[in-house]
Structures are given as C-alpha cells and as structure tokens.
C-alpha cells in the first residue's frame, strides 16, 4: 500500500531545505554530508532520505525552490500599468526582498548550479532566463533607444548589483533594502549622477 503524504510534508520539506542550505553554504557542495544536514535539521538520516534521496537532490531542491520563489515574486511585482522606471524599481525591490534571509539559498545557487546534471541545469536556466527576460523587457521600455547588443550587458550588470548584495548588506544598517533598491535602480538608469536625488 502506498504511503500517504503527511499533512506537514511541505513544512518539513522547507525546514530540511533551509537546514541543508546552511550546511552546504558553510561546508561547500563537496564537503557537506547527509549526516551533517540531518543533524542540522534535527531529523534522522532515514527521514532525510525519505524526503531527498541524496545530496544532489537537495542541491537541486534548494536552487529550484529559491529561483521559483524569486520568479513568483518578480512576476507578482511586475505591473505593466506603471511607468517603466517605477516598474523597474518594483522588480528590483521584489528581488531584494526575496533575498531577505535567503543568503544560504543564494550561495547554494551560485556554487551548486555547476554541479547539477544537464537536465536539472536546464530546468534551473529556464527559470533564470524567465526572470532575466522580464528585466530586459522593462529596461527596453525605459530606454527604447538602447542598442540591442547592449541590452543584455545592462541587464546583467543590474543583476550583478543585486546578486552580490548578500556579501555586504546587513539588515538594520543605515541603508534599508528599499533604499538599496532605489540606489540600484538609479545606478543602472542614471549612473552615479542619479544616486541620492
């Protein structure tokens, strides 16, 4: 008889992913073990294997969860009725808010994606392309005269500002996430002359 799914399956799954992301971010993809992850999660190895058959499945689960949540947040924030500049600012704010308390997930995405098998990499890249395409479309609306070969470098420069924020940003500091969303938007659209206006 097939085992039925527990009512708290998704909650336990998320708790395991959060614990696994912490261990993988600290130890690295190669050094982290399922025993360490089970210990961090406060579950038995048997229960961990019930949810994820191995470390590779955990890495994929962490990255897919992180990017799916980011994709959903960006999609929800995208309001085509807004003026293009405000629309871009809303997207930047959605990314930075989604990154709140997600540093470990983000580190696993950056370091773990290359370790995935080709089919899983393609699933991850498909989500990434969706997110990047949405930003490119809004940047094109902001600057319709921007030459096509420059659109991707400008888009990826903005992602560079957002993706590495976890290296230096601290909640509770002088600059809030909302403040930094304003700064990043101004930097990409106006250059340094637009910051603090």
């Amino acid at each position: 008889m097939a085992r039925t799914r527990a009512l708290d399956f998704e909650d336990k799954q998320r708790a395991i992913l959060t614990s696994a992301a912490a261990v993988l971010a600290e130890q690295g993809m190669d050094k982290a073990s399922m025993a360490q992850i089970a210990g961090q999660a406060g579950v038995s190895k048997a229960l961990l294997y019930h949810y994820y058959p191995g470390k590779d499945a955990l890495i994929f689960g962490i990255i897919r969860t992180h990017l799916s949540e980011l994709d959903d947040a960006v999609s929800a924030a995208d309001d085509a009725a807004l003026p293009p500049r405000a629309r871009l600012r809303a997207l930047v704010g959605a990314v930075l808010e989604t990154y709140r308390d997600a540093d470990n997930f983000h580190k696993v995405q950056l370091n773990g994606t290359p370790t995935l098998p080709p089919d899983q990499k393609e699933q991850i890249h498909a989500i990434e392309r969706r997110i990047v395409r949405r930003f490119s479309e809004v940047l094109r609306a902001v600057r319709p005269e921007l030459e096509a070969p420059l659109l991707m470098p400008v888009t990826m420069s903005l992602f560079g500002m957002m993706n590495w924020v976890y290296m230096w940003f601290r909640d509770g500091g002088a600059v809030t996430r909302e403040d930094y969303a304003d700064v990043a938007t101004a930097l990409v659209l106006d250059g340094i002359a637009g910051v603090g206006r």
Side-chain angles (χ1 to χ4, degrees):
M1 182 173 184
R3 197 170 172 181
T4 58
R5 189 177 267 204
L7 293 176
D8 62 348
F9 183 89
E10 284 80 14
D11 291 339
K12 284 184 180 172
Q13 188 175 41
R14 179 58 187 228
I16 288 170
L17 288 178
T18 299
S19 296
V23 172
L24 288 160
E26 183 181 325
Q27 298 293 323
M29 307 305 118
D30 292 333
K31 292 183 181 174
S33 70
M34 292 295 274
Q36 289 172 314
I37 292 166
Q40 176 79 18
V43 300
S44 68
K45 279 176 64 177
L47 182 63
L48 178 59
Y49 280 108
H50 170 68
Y51 283 86
Y52 294 95
K55 193 166 59 171
D56 292 343
L58 272 166
I59 293 170
F60 179 62
I62 290 164
I63 298 169
R64 185 180 54 198
T65 298
H66 179 55
L67 286 176
S68 295
E69 289 173 356
L70 184 61
D71 190 27
D72 291 345
V74 168
S75 177
D78 191 11
D79 182 355
L82 288 173
R85 186 181 185 103
R87 187 177 173 195
L88 180 65
R89 168 57 183 78
L91 297 186
V92 172
V95 169
L96 294 175
E97 188 54 41
T98 303
Y99 284 176
R100 184 187 300 273
D101 300 323
D103 289 358
N104 292 330
F105 278 75
H106 192 64
K107 288 176 193 172
V108 173
Q109 177 203 347
L110 294 173
N111 299 317
T113 299
T115 72
L116 297 174
D119 62 320
Q120 291 182 346
K121 250 187 231 177
E122 181 47 41
Q123 290 178 55
I124 295 305
H125 291 325
I127 301 170
E128 290 172 334
R129 283 192 297 269
R130 247 191 337 265
I131 296 166
V132 168
R133 189 168 36 251
R134 188 178 298 275
F135 273 82
S136 290
E137 288 168 1
V138 177
L139 283 164
R140 168 65 72 209
V142 171
R143 288 279 313 277
E145 73 279 9
L146 186 66
E147 296 176 15
L150 294 176
L151 183 59
M152 188 53 65
V154 169
T155 304
M156 297 316 292
S157 294
L158 176 56
F159 272 97
M161 284 190 277
M162 295 186 295
N163 285 346
W164 294 100
V165 75
Y166 79 92
M167 295 289 289
W168 60 268
F169 184 87
R170 296 296 169 258
D171 284 309
V175 176
T176 67
R177 286 178 189 273
E178 289 291 310
D179 293 335
Y180 186 65
D182 292 337
V183 168
T185 303
L187 278 173
V188 79
L189 296 182
D190 307 324
I192 199 164
V195 175
R197 277 198 208 167

